[in-house]
Amino acid sequence: DDINGIHIIYKLIQDFPELLDQTNNIIFDNCVILAKHKRACNFLENYLRMINDTIYKQKIIDILINNISILIIDPKANFIIQYLINLGDNNIIKDIINKIVDNIPYYSKHKYSNYVIEKLIMFSNDDNRNIIINILTKQEIINDLVLYQQGSFIILKALKFADKEKNR
């Protein structure tokens, strides 16, 4: 819980480039723990912004996406998943959707993951968005989701974007 640990990692990255491989390996090994921590989740987001090496960056993204079922429902880690979606990379978004596609209705009514579903609807390309909208607009799914505050919100968001698609 000590913020100084995060500052040490920043210092290692900035002042000791010869230790970058070791630092990255520590981050890789602890990526899920960092994503779920109240301060370290911000560090991880900033780290993704500042890292120039696309191989390292992709490795972290892959770790996060491969652990999405844990991270999407976490009060802190859901923000790092939202950050990945905000990058606007259709491949990342597609990977996220592929990992959660069978649980989109469940995540739509969950306290934290519903924000991720909202971002997916908002930032996806038409093909990816249609996958989500087609799931959410099935009658039995709508009937279930309207019973939940978060679920109702997601249904409205999906219908709003479905209307936009029809008007194009």
Side-chain angles (χ1 to χ4, degrees), residues 6 25 32 37 50 73 77 80-81 92-93 100 105 116 118 121 128 132 143 150 154 162:
I6 294 170
N25 287 332
V32 173
H37 188 272
M50 65 187 249
I73 59 173
I80 194 75
I81 302 302
I92 292 173
I93 291 171
I100 68 167
V116 174
E118 176 188 14
I121 292 169
N128 290 334
I132 298 167
N143 291 345
Q150 291 88 356
I154 293 298

Side-chain angles (χ1 to χ4, degrees), residues 105-106 108-110 141-155:
Y106 169 76
S108 296
K109 56 188 174 184
H110 189 275
I141 302 294
I142 290 175
N143 291 345
D144 179 49
L145 290 181
V146 297
L147 300 175
Y148 300 86
Q149 181 179 354
Q150 291 88 356
S152 295
F153 175 77
I154 293 298
I155 290 297

Side-chain angles (χ1 to χ4, degrees), residues 6 9 26-48 60-61 63-84 112:
I6 294 170
I9 295 173
I26 292 167
I27 293 169
F28 297 150
D29 292 344
N30 295 286
C31 198
V32 173
I33 294 167
L34 293 170
K36 293 173 71 173
H37 188 272
K38 63 183 173 184
R39 291 189 186 98
C41 63
N42 292 330
F43 161 78
L44 194 56
E45 186 176 320
N46 289 332
Y47 183 72
L48 283 168
I60 292 173
I61 291 169
I63 292 168
L64 293 170
I65 292 173
N66 286 331
N67 289 281
I68 196 163
S69 63
I70 298 165
L71 302 176
I72 194 171
I73 59 173
D74 185 83
K76 299 296 178 199
N78 79 84
F79 289 106
I80 194 75
I81 302 302
Q82 290 182 57
Y83 169 75
L84 295 179
Y112 302 112

